[in-house]
Amino acid sequence: MSGAKWDVAVIGAGPAGLAAAIAANKAGARVCLVERESRPGGILKQCIHDGFGLVRFGQKLSGPEYAWRDIQLAKERGIKLFTDTFLLELEAREEGFVLTLQNSEQAVFQIVTRALVAATGCRERSARQVFIHGQRPAGVYTAGTVQRLINIGGHLPGKNCVILGSGDIGLIMARRLTLEGAKVQGVYEIKAEPSGLTRNIVQCLEDYNIPLHLGATVTKVHGSERVEAVTISQVDENLRALPGTEEYVPCDTLVLSVGLIPENDMLLPLGVQIDPRTGGPAVDQLMATGQAGLYSCGNALHVNDLVDYVSESGEIAGSSAARFSLGKPDRPCHLPVIPQGDIQYVVPQKLDIAAGGQAVLYFRSARTIANASLEISAGGQVLLQKKYKAVRPPEMERIVLDLALLPPGTEELSLNLRG
Amino acid sequence: MEKMLVCIQCPQGCKLTVSHSGEGVSVTGNKCPRGASYAQQELINPCRTLTTTVRTAFVDFPLLPVRTLGEIPLKSVFGAMGEISRLVVKKRLRPGDVVLEKLYNTDVALIATDDMTMGEKYAKGSEDYGRDGILS
């Protein structure tokens, strides 16, 4: 099989992939987008709540509206979109990447592309991954599954729900379940502080008198056919359940909102280096992975807090991929970016100083700090300082660095966050 | 009297302090003017954008995501949900199309936020049920 040739192929038509495809097309590349679902838009299709697009459009849009803007642009630009199409195999060869795809029209077929953008998003952490074992009664769902069932399928998965984890999707589903007539007993968070945005605590929980219990987790799920109840335990400072604090909470549904994991399984055969801190590939500011011609963006790169930044990274990845495919790119010259102090992670993990220009850096703090200060330094010189009233792990921070500030002969750049 | 609020107008979530003495209401802690008007409104009559779905007559697009074009009183939310639950969309709408001019007992319109004309099944010509009128 020898397939059609493209300059840039993008895997995943969510917000990152759409932005990447549009940017690559604008840069003059012949682009195709590969999507496994029947419609583009990714997870935004089911995120019917509003609050998207404040940074990028200055407007509070719902998820489908946000996606629609990019879908319209992609259509106008005549970008080829394969829907209902699954990537079976990915190979790196001399002529570029060979993608073996499958759909109902062409059965199994191949395409060849010079540059590839992986915009595959993330997955939800499941019950097994938070050590909820034992019987597998019906009624245990991830928050995203509940969201899909209600908002796309029109099914109410339960009537009496307990939510484990205070991530934003869990908070939003607490409100959604309540609006659709279910009773939400409470949201239980193992940590001492909520992991979702404060505004969601207000507008999703407080507005509907849904209690938030901090320092508490589910230690047992009762029921064999269907969930009948959960046992809730308080935890100590090491997040271990405290004996004697068990509370039996009857419910028919347990909703898990316990974190997201970047989805990069398809890249593993290529031997791409994954940053254990982010779960995504290590990239430079052009979103280039260690594999020539392969770019990563969006939630596959690291889990973002706002879709606006997902789109931004997609744009960077798409235009970089087009430049790689069409031009003779300069040989990259990388220096590592080292997180120090209370930084949980930084993306990009390295800088290509040969590319010059500006680099957008995203980072998260490892803990909540009031009056934090960030220092970016290289070669013993402080290049940039910034003060923050407060930094919280759920909120991503973004900072732009002018690479012209780097002193000659720099070997590494460090970001240091302190309280 | 002082009241603490968290602004929900954007993800920043400014911590607002609202104090009213005599006639005036003063708001501090807001990083932008939206915080001040939010706090004032919150004291008088809390209002929210309502986002939900409306049933449709189309098998390939059974639910249409919708939102209010503006905010409605928080206390009207369940009444509005009741009204919305009785609607069925019978025409393929696109984002911004009005589903209902006046939702519940407000002057706020309910608009579509997704594109029902999109998707492979529609492109291939699935059966189009209601051609007359938006709602039943």
Side-chain angles (χ1 to χ4, degrees), chain B residues 2-131:
Chain B
E2 269 195 1
K3 203 176 168 183
M4 305 295 287
L5 291 173
V6 174
C7 182
I8 59 169
Q9 297 302 305
C10 88
Q12 287 212 39
C14 294
K15 290 186 178 67
L16 311 177
T17 308
V18 195
S19 37
H20 45 134
S21 50
E23 293 131 56
V25 174
S26 76
V27 182
T28 54
N30 53 312
K31 291 182 197 148
C32 83
R34 279 182 303 178
S37 51
Y38 167 76
Q40 305 245 2
Q41 186 63 45
E42 198 68 5
L43 289 189
I44 309 161
N45 183 15
C47 286
R48 301 286 183 264
T49 300
L50 175 62
T51 60
T52 183
T53 54
V54 178
R55 274 183 294 156
T56 82
F58 303 96
V59 283
D60 63 307
F61 214 112
L63 291 173
L64 171 66
V66 292
R67 71 172 162 95
T68 53
L69 189 61
E71 297 185 328
I72 63 167
L74 183 55
K75 61 179 192 296
S76 300
V77 160
F78 283 100
M81 284 298 290
E83 186 173 72
I84 291 167
S85 74
R86 289 185 289 277
L87 302 175
V88 180
V89 172
K90 292 192 165 180
K91 192 179 160 191
R92 292 202 184 252
L93 302 180
R94 309 187 79 199
D97 287 352
V98 174
V99 176
L100 201 62
E101 289 285 351
K102 288 183 177 186
L103 176 63
Y104 197 47
N105 51 10
T106 70
D107 281 333
V108 179
L110 190 68
I111 60 162
T113 65
D114 206 347
D115 188 350
M116 296 171 71
T117 66
M118 217 162 47
E120 291 295 292
K121 281 177 189 157
Y122 185 70
K124 284 173 200 156
S126 74
E127 202 177 339
D128 201 335
Y129 298 95
R131 285 169 204 280

Side-chain angles (χ1 to χ4, degrees), chain A residues 38-40 45 48-51 54 60-62 64-65 68 71-72 75 83-84 104-105 149-155 175-176 178-180 197-199 202-203 207-208 306 389 395, chain B residues 6-13 15 29 31 34 38 42 48-53 61-63 65-67 71 74 77-78 81 94-96 111-115 117-120 124:
Chain A
S38 55
R39 285 210 289 146
K45 293 194 295 290
I48 63 161
H49 56 281
D50 74 338
L54 274 165
K60 258 204 285 195
L61 303 170
S62 73
E65 285 173 296
W68 190 64
I71 294 166
Q72 293 305 103
K75 263 189 193 166
T83 53
D84 290 309
S104 62
E105 274 167 39
L149 285 169
I150 296 179
N151 294 346
I152 298 198
H155 311 291
R175 173 176 65 183
R176 190 77 190 111
T178 306
L179 285 174
E180 291 295 348
L197 297 171
T198 315
R199 70 193 290 250
V202 174
Q203 63 183 356
D207 276 2
Y208 299 95
L306 301 181
K389 256 188 167 172
E395 286 157 26
Chain B
V6 174
C7 182
I8 59 169
Q9 297 302 305
C10 88
Q12 287 212 39
K15 290 186 178 67
K31 291 182 197 148
R34 279 182 303 178
Y38 167 76
E42 198 68 5
R48 301 286 183 264
T49 300
L50 175 62
T51 60
T52 183
T53 54
F61 214 112
L63 291 173
V66 292
R67 71 172 162 95
E71 297 185 328
L74 183 55
V77 160
F78 283 100
M81 284 298 290
R94 309 187 79 199
I111 60 162
T113 65
D114 206 347
D115 188 350
T117 66
M118 217 162 47
E120 291 295 292
K124 284 173 200 156

Side-chain angles (χ1 to χ4, degrees), chain A residues 21-297:
Chain A
I22 294 164
N25 172 281
K26 279 185 182 165
R30 288 182 65 251
V31 189
C32 73
L33 248 173
V34 179
E35 169 57 48
R36 67 181 171 192
E37 297 201 30
S38 55
R39 285 210 289 146
I43 204 69
L44 290 175
K45 293 194 295 290
Q46 66 186 63
C47 298
I48 63 161
H49 56 281
D50 74 338
F52 301 95
L54 274 165
V55 179
R56 194 160 168 235
F57 301 119
Q59 270 178 284
K60 258 204 285 195
L61 303 170
S62 73
E65 285 173 296
Y66 184 101
W68 190 64
R69 295 194 172 204
D70 285 339
I71 294 166
Q72 293 305 103
L73 268 179
K75 263 189 193 166
E76 283 163 20
R77 294 189 153 267
I79 292 168
K80 171 67 184 170
L81 172 66
F82 293 99
T83 53
D84 290 309
T85 303
F86 205 80
L87 175 66
L88 296 177
E89 209 181 330
L90 173 61
E91 260 183 285
R93 285 194 206 149
E94 188 110 345
E95 68 267 34
F97 298 95
V98 179
L99 280 64
T100 306
L101 304 171
Q102 183 265 321
N103 66 22
S104 62
E105 274 167 39
Q106 299 176 71
V108 176
F109 63 105
Q110 288 187 324
I111 61 170
V112 184
T113 182
R114 289 265 300 142
L116 182 68
V117 179
T120 41
C122 58
R123 280 184 189 171
E124 292 180 282
R125 193 165 279 137
S126 69
R128 299 314 122 186
Q129 288 164 310
V130 289
F131 310 110
I132 297 174
H133 298 294
Q135 301 252 37
R136 295 187 175 194
V140 182
Y141 297 97
T142 60
T145 303
V146 171
Q147 190 178 45
R148 189 181 182 95
L149 285 169
I150 296 179
N151 294 346
I152 298 198
H155 311 291
L156 193 61
K159 290 185 174 151
N160 190 15
C161 312
V162 161
I163 298 183
L164 176 62
S166 59
D168 286 308
I169 320 166
L171 302 177
I172 280 156
M173 291 327 292
R175 173 176 65 183
R176 190 77 190 111
L177 283 159
T178 306
L179 285 174
E180 291 295 348
K183 169 79 187 158
V184 177
Q185 296 292 346
V187 174
Y188 295 88
E189 168 61 55
I190 193 167
K191 295 194 196 113
E193 55 183 309
S195 58
L197 297 171
T198 315
R199 70 193 290 250
N200 285 332
I201 307 281
V202 174
Q203 63 183 356
C204 297
L205 301 188
E206 289 172 12
D207 276 2
Y208 299 95
N209 301 312
I210 300 166
L212 170 64
H213 305 274
L214 299 172
T217 191
V218 170
T219 44
K220 193 162 186 197
V221 179
H222 305 270
S224 53
E225 295 289 307
R226 175 84 200 188
V227 173
E228 287 164 12
V230 293
T231 295
I232 302 287
S233 298
Q234 307 294 312
V235 299
D236 64 16
E237 61 275 16
N238 297 317
L239 309 184
R240 277 190 302 251
L242 289 164
T245 62
E246 295 86 359
E247 188 194 346
Y248 185 84
V249 180
C251 60
D252 60 23
T253 304
L254 174 63
V255 180
L256 302 172
S257 175
V258 288
L260 302 166
I261 304 163
E263 157 81 83
N264 289 295
D265 291 358
M266 70 165 207
L267 302 184
L268 299 181
L270 301 182
V272 172
Q273 187 206 343
I274 301 288
D275 180 348
R277 286 177 288 238
T278 57
V283 294
D284 63 21
Q285 78 275 19
L286 305 174
M287 306 297 162
T289 68
Q291 169 87 40
L294 177 65
Y295 297 80
S296 173
C297 56

